[in-house]
Amino acid sequence: MNIKKYIEVPEEILVGLAEGKFVEGSLHRDKNTGRIVFNAYNRKAKKRKKDKLLVSLEHGWLKESPTCIKFYCALKKSIGTARMLCALEREQKVAAGHLADREIVDRV
């Protein structure tokens, strides 16, 4: 059994859909007319600032976001634990040195 119903959708919503945008909202039945009505939620797109690259490291990077300093280092397991530890310490020292230099330059 197939039932066909018509849905009232505002023109602005249809324009957004035609542009390929997603529209979140609610469907409900109008008490007076009995028709199904779509109400779109009034949501704003969040504009997130991209992280600023402070230094590119041998095996990763050091970035700054509005709230955090991010340190990333990726090493292959095949190099072994001892070499991994040495590489991690070396990367950490380079990142820490860069942060210290940056702090000195900012204060001058």
Side-chain angles (χ1 to χ4, degrees), residues 3 10 14 38 41 45 50-51 67 83 89 92 101-102:
I3 299 174
L14 291 175
F38 178 77
Y41 298 143
K50 294 204 173 193
D51 296 341
T67 57
R83 289 179 63 194
E89 287 177 6
Q92 186 267 335
D101 293 345
R102 187 170 169 263

Side-chain angles (χ1 to χ4, degrees), residues 37-54:
V37 180
F38 178 77
N39 286 338
Y41 298 143
N42 188 14
R43 298 208 173 140
K44 295 180 183 177
K46 292 183 180 179
K47 296 278 183 168
R48 185 172 88 72
K49 290 184 179 179
K50 294 204 173 193
D51 296 341
K52 177 182 172 187
L53 180 67
L54 297 179

Side-chain angles (χ1 to χ4, degrees), residues 27-74:
L27 285 175
H28 68 279
R29 182 177 286 246
D30 191 357
K31 292 179 184 177
N32 299 328
T33 62
R35 292 183 176 177
I36 297 175
V37 180
F38 178 77
N39 286 338
Y41 298 143
N42 188 14
R43 298 208 173 140
K44 295 180 183 177
K46 292 183 180 179
K47 296 278 183 168
R48 185 172 88 72
K49 290 184 179 179
K50 294 204 173 193
D51 296 341
K52 177 182 172 187
L53 180 67
L54 297 179
V55 64
S56 181
L57 303 170
E58 184 180 350
H59 300 287
W61 43 255
L62 183 68
K63 290 184 179 181
E64 178 184 23
S65 73
T67 57
C68 298
I69 298 290
K70 300 176 184 179
F71 172 70
Y72 175 78
C73 184

Side-chain angles (χ1 to χ4, degrees), residues 16-28:
L17 289 172
E19 293 174 356
K21 294 183 180 177
F22 290 92
V23 180
E24 293 182 359
S26 64
L27 285 175
H28 68 279

